[in-house]
Amino acid sequence: MNVVTNAKTLKDLEYSKLKEILKSFACSPLGRDLIENLRPSADIEYLHREFQRVEELRTALLETDLSLGPISDIRAILHRAHQTTALSGEEFLALAEALGQIRRLRDRLLGEKEFPSLRELGERMHVFRELEENIARVFDEDGEVRPTASPRLRELTARKRLLEERVQRQLQSLIQSGQLAGILQDTVITRRSGRFVIPIKSSARYELDAVVHDSSDSGQTLYVEPTSVVTDNNEIRELEGEIRDEQLKLLRELTQKLQGETRKIEETVKVLAYFDLLYAKAQFALHLRCQRPQIALDGPLHLVEARHPLLDQTTVVPIERRRGGPFQGIVITGPNTGGKTVSLKTVGLLTLMAQSGIPIPAAPDSSLVLFQKIFTDIGDEQSIQQNLSTFSAHMKNLIGVLREADPQTLVLIDELGAGTDPTEGAALGIAILQALLDSGAKLIVTTHFSAIKHFAYQHPKLKTCSVEFDIETLSPTYKIIEGIGASNAFIIAERLGLPSSVVSLARAHLTEGQVRVEDIIQKLQRERSELAQERLRVSQRAAEIEQIQSEYAAKLSELRAKKETALTQELRDVESLLKRARAELEHALHRAKHAADETQLREALRQVQERERQLTDARQQLRAEPVDLPLKLEELREGMRVQFRGSKRVGTVRQIVTTERIEIDLGGLRVWARLSDLVQPTSKDRSELQKVSVSVEPASSSAPQLELNVRGMTVSEAIRELDLYLDRLVLAGLTRGYIVHGKGTGVLRREIRKHLAKLPIVKGFDSAPPNQGGDGVTIVELAS
């Protein structure tokens, strides 16, 4: 990331204090380390990506139970794994716990389908199940090697346990035998130096053939090992040595496996640390009610309801700041303690936050400009060590700023020209302002000097603002208003109790130019107040006019809607009649085709004639019918909108296979159609009548026959034709179809029915009645 500022600017704007607050929301030293190294960036792609991830995470925290508990820092363990041959059990347990946290977090992120940026982070994490399982197999919950960690260790542990039980039985038998009556100090078996012993009186040292291993503090008790168990105790010690060797072997093997996975684990830990950074930013945004600002390479600086993040958010007064249009900079005036410096710092710190990918405490419609460089000159920079006065320190800093300033630079200066003679300080301040303007830098400056106020008021690239001060209460309102503000020093002094005679004497000492400037300021203040009142009246009148226009538009829209409803309702009824008549006609034709006797045939033909009469009547009701414009294959393109012939349905071409197989998207429903089924959509300039008209030709290419004959086709050919046939039935509004596949070997019937069972639009299917084809015909019912 590009470095956009220096240490002084970070210090002036208290960037480190902001990061301390951000750290309090992190869950691990991993995230806190990244926050400590966080710096503003001028990479707009990085910032957009960062804000997208923070926004997704903040939404996930609000809408799901995604949370992040304390995270273990295993970086030291990974480093030590390459410095030693065997890690301890406690280190392996800490490692396993962290790997488990990573695995569970990864699974959770991969499950967040609505948050692609979070899923991408999850995909970058590795899972180490084998290493986790090996650690769990070797160690118990206390970090001790399990006796069952390996076959060899299991065998050694079992042998040791058997020997220990045998030694204890021998010693218990000796105690209970009565041979040691008067010798034993206590009837317990204990261990000294890893060997089983019994306590005897020190005065009976030579009455028992035994090896002394220890004595009590008082010297009254000796802990001895009878010679009868020495051999078994020796063997136990040898087994303990072999067990330690086997345990060490297991630790070394596990450490070697860890060394082989270290690179992937370190990569995953980096992703985890970055996720913790994002988590801290998201939690910070939630707690301080922060929003993602709009960031552009150029344009206006617009802060709405902006709050300084280091102040008490329950009492801080939001500010609003605009810099844009024809203005290159802002000069803020007003009395001390009026909020100038806080406003300046708010703009600066929020800019640093935005360029660090941190949401800012402001309204969501706030916008900021991306700066390549940000410089400040705020506060008392007097240095005893360098023998620099306040003025000298400011001048040295500003000289460096002027050297670096360019059109991609933001400069924030508090009390320009202060620290020296007011006349010379004002002249230098004006010169510095002009030099910064010439460099193209964007700037916000505060000042008390009337000469600088006058210069800013006259300069076309500078906008003058002031902080409002309540003279009655002698307290700032922290509101930034347009126009030049007076320092109000005389008024404040008089309100505080300074005698009027003294104030008058002070006014007399002002030069004519200074008096004139103050008079100009007061006149401008009055004019600004009058303009504000006039602006309010104009705004209210505009709102009234807008309300009248809105009511008129609503009434006009209502009249048009009623007219359209009256025009189209009858045609919709006719369209519904046509659909029913077409379906009944197709069924009648099918029954006529398969009529078993003359009576049924006559009845079916009568129904056909009746439906034809109904269709003729319906055709006469439709006075205008749209002209279908056919399509050519070379005209067809993916994404092109097309209309089904004889239908109002308009869809989008998804895929072009052949003239007989074209995939169309109908509002999320995918259907296959032939080129002959498609026409150009009805143009927007046709009449309302044409928009709702329908085709009345029952035998048109868009109206499917009720029966599909697939005899003689292969399974794949039959399935393809079946899909087209079903789609045409759906488009025609029909709910029943007949598939003629013949009996034959039954393969075609079985595959067709297997395919039908998978389709969501199919309600059910069965064989036709014997007089209509029996098992050679499948009747399919479609969902209505």
Side-chain angles (χ1 to χ4, degrees):
M1 293 186 291
N2 301 328
V3 177
V4 301
T5 190
N6 54 28
K8 172 174 171 45
T9 298
L10 296 176
K11 178 183 176 183
D12 285 349
L13 299 178
E14 301 178 284
Y15 188 69
S16 60
K17 292 183 179 179
L18 172 77
K19 292 197 295 185
E20 289 302 316
I21 297 176
L22 194 60
K23 286 179 186 178
S24 67
F25 293 102
C27 295
S28 73
L30 301 169
R32 287 190 282 273
D33 285 350
L34 284 186
I35 294 172
E36 180 60 32
N37 295 322
L38 186 63
R39 292 291 184 275
S41 168
D43 185 342
I44 194 166
E45 292 184 2
Y46 156 77
L47 293 175
H48 285 326
R49 185 170 59 251
E50 189 77 357
F51 276 119
Q52 176 65 26
R53 289 170 174 167
V54 173
E55 191 65 24
E56 283 191 10
L57 184 51
R58 179 169 65 168
T59 303
L61 291 173
L62 288 172
E63 298 181 356
T64 70
D65 59 349
L66 177 64
S67 61
L68 197 63
I71 300 174
S72 303
D73 184 1
I74 57 174
R75 290 175 296 182
I77 296 176
L78 297 177
H79 178 73
R80 216 177 89 77
H82 290 273
Q83 307 298 320
T84 184
T85 58
L87 294 175
S88 67
E90 291 78 6
E91 290 172 317
F92 274 115
L93 282 186
L95 177 67
E97 181 182 359
L99 295 181
Q101 288 176 326
I102 292 171
R103 173 173 47 79
R104 289 187 291 273
L105 176 61
R106 177 183 181 274
D107 292 343
R108 185 60 196 276
L109 294 179
L110 292 180
E112 298 293 347
K113 297 181 180 179
E114 299 180 1
F115 306 111
S117 296
L118 300 185
R119 279 180 56 84
E120 188 267 336
L121 288 179
E123 291 168 356
R124 286 164 52 188
M125 294 181 177
H126 299 284
V127 173
F128 306 92
R129 290 187 182 275
E130 183 179 355
L131 186 57
E132 284 186 69
E133 291 170 357
N134 285 335
I135 294 174
R137 175 180 55 82
V138 172
F139 299 101
D140 61 19
E141 59 275 7
D142 297 322
E144 299 294 333
V145 178
R146 297 181 186 274
T148 57
S150 72
R152 169 89 175 141
L153 189 57
R154 186 183 300 111
E155 176 190 354
L156 293 172
T157 303
R159 285 171 54 192
K160 176 174 174 284
R161 185 174 61 252
L162 289 175
L163 279 173
E164 288 177 339
E165 291 174 355
R166 186 165 70 183
V167 170
Q168 290 184 69
R169 284 197 303 271
Q170 290 177 359
L171 293 176
Q172 192 65 37
S173 176
L174 183 61
I175 291 172
Q176 294 175 354
S177 66
Q179 298 178 25
L180 304 181
I183 297 177
L184 288 174
Q185 190 71 279
D186 197 354
T187 59
V188 297
I189 300 172
T190 184
R191 300 189 76 159
R192 290 294 187 272
S193 302
R195 306 176 75 89
F196 287 101
V197 296
I198 56 176
I200 66 171
K201 298 176 181 177
S202 58
S203 59
R205 166 68 183 83
Y206 299 103
E207 296 183 22
L208 179 66
D209 188 10
V211 179
V212 178
H213 286 285
D214 198 3
S215 63
S216 64
D217 292 340
S218 64
Q220 299 297 316
T221 303
L222 298 178
Y223 296 93
V224 300
E225 176 188 12
T227 54
S228 58
V229 297
V230 169
T231 301
D232 286 343
N233 265 336
N234 287 341
E235 189 172 352
I236 290 173
R237 295 300 302 275
E238 291 174 1
L239 286 173
E240 288 175 344
E242 293 182 37
I243 288 173
R244 284 193 297 273
D245 292 342
E246 180 65 16
Q247 290 175 338
L248 184 58
K249 177 184 175 184
L250 290 172
L251 292 176
R252 287 173 175 170
E253 291 176 350
L254 204 53
T255 302
Q256 288 177 353
K257 290 181 181 179
L258 173 59
Q259 290 171 351
E261 299 282 8
T262 297
R263 184 183 60 81
K264 288 185 177 181
I265 295 177
E266 288 176 342
E267 292 175 355
T268 301
V269 167
K270 288 180 180 179
V271 178
L272 181 64
Y274 175 61
F275 182 82
D276 193 19
L277 168 65
L278 294 177
Y279 184 84
K281 290 180 178 181
Q283 289 286 20
F284 175 89
L286 287 173
H287 283 75
L288 275 73
R289 296 177 288 112
C290 298
Q291 302 292 336
R292 171 182 180 174
Q294 302 173 33
I295 301 180
L297 294 175
D298 197 8
L301 184 152
H302 184 199
L303 289 176
V304 181
E305 297 181 1
R307 309 180 307 278
H308 196 290
L310 302 184
L311 300 178
D312 185 347
Q313 298 298 292
T314 61
T315 59
V316 64
V317 179
I319 67 167
E320 182 170 327
R321 174 76 78 253
R322 296 174 184 266
R323 187 207 60 77
F327 302 108
Q328 186 179 335
I330 298 174
V331 174
I332 305 175
T333 64
N336 286 329
T337 71
K340 299 192 305 298
T341 303
V342 172
S343 299
L344 197 68
K345 286 187 173 182
T346 301
V347 174
L349 186 54
L350 266 56
T351 301
L352 293 184
M353 289 175 64
Q355 295 195 209
S356 301
I358 305 172
I360 64 173
D365 55 340
S366 298
S367 60
L368 293 167
V369 180
L370 186 75
F371 293 104
Q372 298 292 329
K373 303 171 188 175
I374 302 174
F375 297 118
T376 61
D377 189 70
I378 301 173
D380 188 353
E381 293 300 317
Q382 185 169 357
S383 171
I384 298 176
Q385 293 179 346
Q386 298 182 13
N387 195 27
L388 291 176
S389 67
T390 300
F391 177 76
S392 299
H394 283 302
M395 281 299 104
K396 183 177 180 181
N397 181 52
L398 288 173
I399 290 169
V401 171
L402 288 172
R403 190 182 302 118
E404 297 285 337
D406 59 30
Q408 283 77 46
T409 302
L410 173 65
V411 181
L412 306 173
I413 304 176
D414 190 31
E415 300 297 350
L416 178 61
T420 187
D421 176 77
T423 303
E424 294 181 350
L428 278 172
I430 292 172
I432 291 171
L433 269 181
Q434 187 60 62
L436 288 172
L437 291 172
D438 293 342
S439 73
K442 313 305 183 293
L443 53 118
I444 302 177
V445 174
T446 70
T447 186
H448 278 298
F449 293 142
S450 297
I452 296 180
K453 297 177 188 178
H454 188 257
F455 171 80
Y457 180 72
Q458 291 183 320
H459 203 290
K461 292 185 179 180
L462 291 175
K463 181 178 182 179
T464 56
C465 295
S466 60
V467 290
E468 193 176 56
F469 192 85
D470 191 332
I471 299 300
E472 299 299 325
T473 62
L474 297 181
S475 61
T477 65
Y478 296 101
K479 292 181 179 179
I480 306 299
I481 55 179
E482 293 187 18
I484 299 175
S487 63
N488 297 314
F490 294 150
I491 298 176
I492 294 173
E494 192 170 10
R495 289 291 172 85
L496 289 174
L498 190 66
S500 300
S501 58
V502 177
V503 174
S504 299
L505 184 61
R507 291 183 186 276
H509 283 289
L510 286 175
T511 65
E512 181 180 351
Q514 290 171 322
V515 173
R516 185 182 177 189
V517 168
E518 291 298 323
D519 290 341
I520 291 173
I521 290 174
Q522 292 180 8
K523 181 179 179 181
L524 288 174
Q525 292 281 26
R526 288 194 298 271
E527 291 178 354
R528 183 185 64 200
S529 177
E530 293 172 358
L531 285 173
Q533 293 177 4
E534 182 63 26
R535 189 182 299 116
L536 179 60
R537 287 194 293 269
V538 171
S539 176
Q540 291 173 344
R541 182 56 182 163
E544 293 174 0
I545 294 173
E546 185 177 353
Q547 178 66 25
I548 293 172
Q549 289 178 335
S550 177
E551 293 175 358
Y552 172 78
K555 290 180 179 179
L556 182 61
S557 177
E558 182 180 356
L559 288 173
R560 287 176 176 173
K562 289 180 179 178
K563 180 179 178 181
E564 181 180 351
T565 300
L567 177 67
T568 61
Q569 183 58 49
E570 182 179 355
L571 295 178
R572 290 195 183 98
D573 294 341
V574 172
E575 181 183 8
S576 178
L577 173 63
L578 285 173
K579 286 186 177 180
R580 293 197 303 272
R582 178 180 293 163
E584 293 176 7
L585 177 60
E586 293 290 351
H587 282 291
L589 289 171
H590 183 75
R591 288 196 299 274
K593 182 177 179 181
H594 294 87
D597 54 39
E598 185 178 351
T599 302
Q600 293 179 349
L601 179 59
R602 258 197 310 271
E603 175 62 22
L605 291 176
R606 187 191 65 77
Q607 293 181 10
V608 169
Q609 292 172 355
E610 175 65 20
R611 298 310 172 206
E612 285 182 343
R613 184 187 63 76
Q614 292 179 358
L615 291 174
T616 301
D617 293 343
R619 182 186 299 111
Q620 292 175 355
Q621 292 182 47
L622 299 175
R623 298 185 178 183
E625 182 176 346
V627 178
D628 290 338
L629 301 178
L631 286 167
K632 297 180 181 179
L633 185 63
E634 56 270 19
E635 297 175 342
L636 218 54
R637 299 286 186 274
E638 292 183 5
M640 179 179 178
R641 292 181 63 76
V642 295
Q643 184 171 340
F644 281 85
R645 186 185 300 276
S647 170
K648 294 186 299 180
R649 299 201 177 196
V650 178
T652 304
V653 177
R654 298 286 301 181
Q655 183 181 1
I656 306 170
V657 181
T658 66
T659 57
E660 298 297 311
R661 193 166 175 79
I662 301 170
E663 186 181 9
I664 307 297
D665 186 338
L666 283 176
L669 175 66
R670 304 289 178 84
V671 299
W672 291 94
R674 295 186 175 93
L675 181 62
S676 58
D677 295 335
L678 306 175
V679 296
Q680 295 182 14
T682 304
S683 62
K684 294 182 179 179
D685 59 350
R686 295 190 186 184
S687 68
E688 292 298 320
L689 181 62
Q690 289 175 321
K691 290 181 181 178
V692 298
S693 64
V694 296
S695 174
V696 299
E697 296 296 334
S700 69
S701 60
S702 64
Q705 295 297 324
L706 194 63
E707 181 179 280
L708 173 66
N709 193 332
V710 296
R711 286 179 295 184
M713 295 184 185
T714 64
V715 171
S716 60
E717 291 172 342
I719 295 298
R720 182 170 63 251
E721 290 298 320
L722 174 60
D723 286 340
L724 287 169
Y725 174 65
L726 294 178
D727 289 340
R728 289 162 67 83
L729 286 178
V730 171
L731 290 172
L734 301 179
T735 60
R736 172 176 289 191
Y738 295 81
I739 303 124
V740 180
H741 43 66
K743 297 181 180 178
T745 61
V747 173
L748 194 55
R749 178 181 68 247
R750 184 173 62 254
E751 294 301 322
I752 284 176
R753 294 184 178 183
K754 186 186 300 183
H755 183 66
L756 289 173
K758 299 177 181 177
L759 300 178
I761 63 171
V762 175
K763 183 178 180 181
F765 55 86
D766 202 354
S767 297
N771 63 344
Q772 295 185 21
D775 290 337
V777 178
T778 295
I779 301 177
V780 58
E781 297 286 345
L782 302 181
S784 58

